[in-house]
Amino acid sequence: MTEPHAGGPRARDTAEELQLALGMLVRRLRAAAGDGVSLSQMSVLKRLERLGPSTASELARAEQIRPQSVIATVNSLQAEGHVARSPHPTDGRQQLIALTDEGRALVRRRREEGHGRIAELITERLGPAEQRLLAEAVPLLRRLAEN
Amino acid sequence: MTEPHAGGPRARDTAEELQLALGMLVRRLRAAAGDGVSLSQMSVLKRLERLGPSTASELARAEQIRPQSVIATVNSLQAEGHVARSPHPTDGRQQLIALTDEGRALVRRRREEGHGRIAELITERLGPAEQRLLAEAVPLLRRLAEN
DNA sequence: TATTGTTATACTCTATAACTATA
DNA sequence: TATAGTTATAGAGTATAACAATA
């Protein structure tokens, strides 16, 4: 019964527990998404804040979803006044999507409020050492999620 | 500008990064869900394996979703032969939901295969020390997700 | 009356396929 | 022909509201 060098049962157990926790956390967050802005919408708004004005393709690549899916989200955000489209200066096929002032204010407000439920949970349920451990682990999750 | 005693900016940053990584990971896992069994379906199957035969209410509580939502998932699992319903022995209102032999075999097979994409990602992208760190952090995520 | 399960319906999120406009 | 954006449509996942059956 030799162990696989880099993983073995531990990786498998971690995977199972992680998947379970992931599902539950996402459900909890979705249920708690306030302000009338859904998780996906918020994700796109934050992405625009980081990237600046972007095309649908760029957003889709960053979010790891299809351009068609991003467009659906962008349409709803535009209808609510959080983003605006403008024609690309040189390529007539492209549309630049950008935060409106209102969208930017929404993201800022959300950040100041502590990112809602998840920050509350972290401070309520984890001690200082555990919070540090979690902070170290999050970049690893990020690596798992990246393309 | 006094800091909250147990959190402060660190918890807020962790929350933001965690939420971003969470969304991306779930999308990646959903896209990779094989075997014709979705993430929610698999979650219910695993839950039944842990809990044994359960009522819809019990499952809903464990999964943190509404009984109506669990019933939709159970209906699809039953149509595919992975679970079966039987009347509760003493309470005529309740239905016991249990894994069929086929459902049990599916969960076992999935575990032997290493829980699919997520275990692969862990062994491919993280070194041994990072895997240990992640394994320590997963129970914390679990705590955040619990009721 | 309270509890359990259920059906009907709707919304979010994402996908695939097919179309339009521009390069 | 290739690329960017888009529309149409569908399926998973979950919610609320309303109802039926049983306790």
Side-chain angles (χ1 to χ4, degrees):
Chain A
M1 251 328 191
T2 54
E3 304 284 69
H5 70 99
R10 184 195 284 274
R12 205 144 61 207
D13 294 347
T14 302
E16 179 159 10
E17 293 297 320
L18 176 56
Q19 188 148 354
L20 200 67
L22 230 57
M24 291 167 70
L25 255 181
V26 167
R27 267 176 237 135
R28 177 184 277 278
L29 293 178
R30 191 165 17 226
D35 268 352
V37 181
S38 72
L39 292 188
S40 297
Q41 287 178 325
M42 202 62 208
S43 189
V44 167
L45 290 178
K46 281 190 214 157
R47 194 75 68 174
L48 283 172
E49 191 196 38
R50 294 187 182 201
L51 299 180
S54 311
T55 66
S57 308
E58 286 167 349
L59 280 177
R61 219 174 304 123
E63 293 281 312
Q64 302 193 80
I65 58 180
R66 304 286 154 187
Q68 300 96 314
S69 304
V70 123
I71 283 171
T73 304
V74 166
N75 284 344
S76 64
L77 286 171
Q78 186 174 24
E80 290 158 15
H82 299 311
V83 305
R85 282 176 164 91
S86 57
H88 191 283
T90 64
D91 187 337
R93 295 172 302 181
Q94 297 185 33
Q95 294 269 315
L96 280 177
I97 300 154
L99 287 177
T100 59
D101 289 345
E102 199 214 312
R104 197 178 307 281
L106 175 60
V107 177
R108 202 178 322 118
R109 185 169 0 112
R110 185 68 72 96
R111 181 167 298 116
E112 279 160 9
E113 284 167 1
H115 277 87
R117 190 70 190 121
I118 194 163
E120 276 177 42
L121 288 168
I122 289 173
T123 53
E124 284 168 13
R125 300 191 170 188
L126 302 183
E130 290 169 329
Q131 291 187 29
R132 272 192 297 278
L133 176 58
L134 181 62
E136 286 176 44
V138 165
L140 303 182
L141 294 176
R142 188 72 173 270
R143 289 239 303 279
L144 296 181
E146 270 164 6
N147 274 317
Chain B
M1 254 320 193
T2 54
E3 303 285 67
H5 69 99
R10 182 194 286 272
R12 206 144 59 206
D13 294 347
T14 302
E16 180 159 10
E17 293 297 320
L18 177 57
Q19 188 147 353
L20 200 67
L22 230 57
M24 291 168 71
L25 254 181
V26 166
R27 266 175 239 137
R28 175 184 278 280
L29 293 178
R30 188 160 22 222
D35 268 353
V37 180
S38 71
L39 292 188
S40 296
Q41 287 178 323
M42 201 63 207
S43 190
V44 167
L45 290 178
K46 281 190 214 156
R47 194 74 68 173
L48 283 172
E49 190 196 40
R50 295 187 180 200
L51 299 180
S54 310
T55 67
S57 307
E58 286 167 350
L59 281 176
R61 220 173 304 123
E63 294 282 311
Q64 302 195 80
I65 57 180
R66 303 287 153 186
Q68 301 97 312
S69 304
V70 122
I71 283 170
T73 304
V74 166
N75 284 344
S76 64
L77 287 169
Q78 186 174 23
E80 291 158 14
H82 300 311
V83 306
R85 282 177 165 92
S86 57
H88 191 282
T90 63
D91 187 336
R93 294 171 302 181
Q94 298 184 33
Q95 293 267 318
L96 279 177
I97 299 154
L99 287 177
T100 59
D101 289 346
E102 199 215 311
R104 198 177 309 280
L106 175 61
V107 177
R108 205 179 320 119
R109 185 170 0 113
R110 185 65 74 95
R111 181 167 297 117
E112 281 160 9
E113 284 167 0
H115 278 87
R117 190 71 191 120
I118 193 163
E120 276 175 43
L121 287 169
I122 290 173
T123 54
E124 284 168 13
R125 300 190 171 190
L126 303 183
E130 290 168 330
Q131 291 187 29
R132 271 192 296 279
L133 175 58
L134 181 62
E136 285 176 45
V138 165
L140 303 182
L141 294 176
R142 188 74 173 270
R143 290 239 303 278
L144 296 181
E146 270 165 5
N147 276 316

